[in-house]
């Protein structure tokens, strides 16, 4: 597969042919940076892990050159950070038994440029070859610009594909900003209780990010545990890990639906719920 950047790469953990590996994909995550796939789309990894008929593919759009650095990595140049983060992502693809891992290797500035058609073209090529049933990506209420830009480029790419080449489901999952605020009827609840050891291993691989002074591994596992307990105020915990998603599928079923207006509808329903409760109790 010919991707735009000469430094892009399609990594196949089992060493097989890239085209065959990509074609096996059933579940895909399109994330902004190395480690976002493991934070956001643990559900997809677990759905496929050890299953002969399900395969997870990771797609990382940006190269992560601007990440903070400390400890072992304090004196690393941007180029060295890109290299180490790519190795970490490959380790995760191996541990998580992904069928393939794509690195599109764009700068954050390129991803955030709405006029950049290359990102969209690369995503179209990958999705047309992989034909995933479900794609996980960043939710549109995330507070990281590059994350939201990736989700918007992905929606554009999917809208440029014929309807029968689009996945059945598009889920916006949690990275920077969780989705606990969504009204319960607006939440897509994803159980990630299984193989907690594997989830922890995947998050722990990204040493350059954790040594950068951010315990993403502990924070992400803690968020999943907190969601499992705080999801319902009555009854006992039935899961030990949950992640929440915003269902973005309507945006690829109706190409005229405005992403901004779509997200606002969730926010409006949240505002309505808060106001109604206070109104009822005042
Ligand atoms: Zn990220």
């Amino acid at each position: 597969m010919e991707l735009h950047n000469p430094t892009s790469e399609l990594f196949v953990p089992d060493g097989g042919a890239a085209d065959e590996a990509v074609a096996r994909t059933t579940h895909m995550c399109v994330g902004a940076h190395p480690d976002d796939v493991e934070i956001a789309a643990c559900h997809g990894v677990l759905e496929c892990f050890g299953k002969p008929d399900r395969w997870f593919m990771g797609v990382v759009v940006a190269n992560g050159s601007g990440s903070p650095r400390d400890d072992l990595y304090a004196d690393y140049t941007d180029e060295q950070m890109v290299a180490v983060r790519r190795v970490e992502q490959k380790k995760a693809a191996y541990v998580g038994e992904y069928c393939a891992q794509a690195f599109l290797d764009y700068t954050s500035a390129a991803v955030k440029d709405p006029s950049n058609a290359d990102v969209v073209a690369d995503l179209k090529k990958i999705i047309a070859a992989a034909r995933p049933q479900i794609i996980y990506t960043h939710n549109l209420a995330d507070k990281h610009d590059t994350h939201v830009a990736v989700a918007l480029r992905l929606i554009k790419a999917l809208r440029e594909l014929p309807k029968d080449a689009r996945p059945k489901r598009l889920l916006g999952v949690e990275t920077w900003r969780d989705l606990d605020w969504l009204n319960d009827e607006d939440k897509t609840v994803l159980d990630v209780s299984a193989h907690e050891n594997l989830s922890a291993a995947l998050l722990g691989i990204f040493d350059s990010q954790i040594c950068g002074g951010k315990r993403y591994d502990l924070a992400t596992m803690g968020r999943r545990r907190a969601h499992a307990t705080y999801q319902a105020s009555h009854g006992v915990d039935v899961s030990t890990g949950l992640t929440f998603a915003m269902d973005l599928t309507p945006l690829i079923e109706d190409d005229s639906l405005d992403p901004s207006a779509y997200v606002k509808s969730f926010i409006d329903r949240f505002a309505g719920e808060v106001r109604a409760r206070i109104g009822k109790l005042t």
Side-chain angles (χ1 to χ4, degrees), residues 17 50 52-53 72 90 107 114 145 154 172-173 195 213 228 243 249 257 281:
D53 57 341
L72 260 185
K90 288 180 179 177
T107 62
D145 283 359
L154 174 64
V173 281
H195 304 288
T243 62
T249 314
L257 198 53
L281 298 171

Side-chain angles (χ1 to χ4, degrees), residues 4 11 26 34 46 66 103 120 126 180 193 246 250 264 267:
H4 176 74
F11 172 66
T26 55
L46 295 175
F103 299 89
V120 173
I126 289 170
D180 176 66
S193 303
M246 179 184 283
K264 186 172 178 295
I267 297 167

Side-chain angles (χ1 to χ4, degrees), residues 11-12 15 29 40 73 87 102 122 139 160 192 195 212 240 249 254 262:
F11 172 66
V12 180
C29 176
Y73 313 92
V87 170
D122 277 355
N139 81 77
E160 290 180 10
V192 291
H195 304 288
T240 55
T249 314
D254 176 359
Y262 183 68

Side-chain angles (χ1 to χ4, degrees), residues 32-33 35-36 138 144 147 175-176:
H33 308 103
D35 82 356
D36 283 337
H138 299 290
H144 193 306
H147 292 185
T175 317
W176 279 105

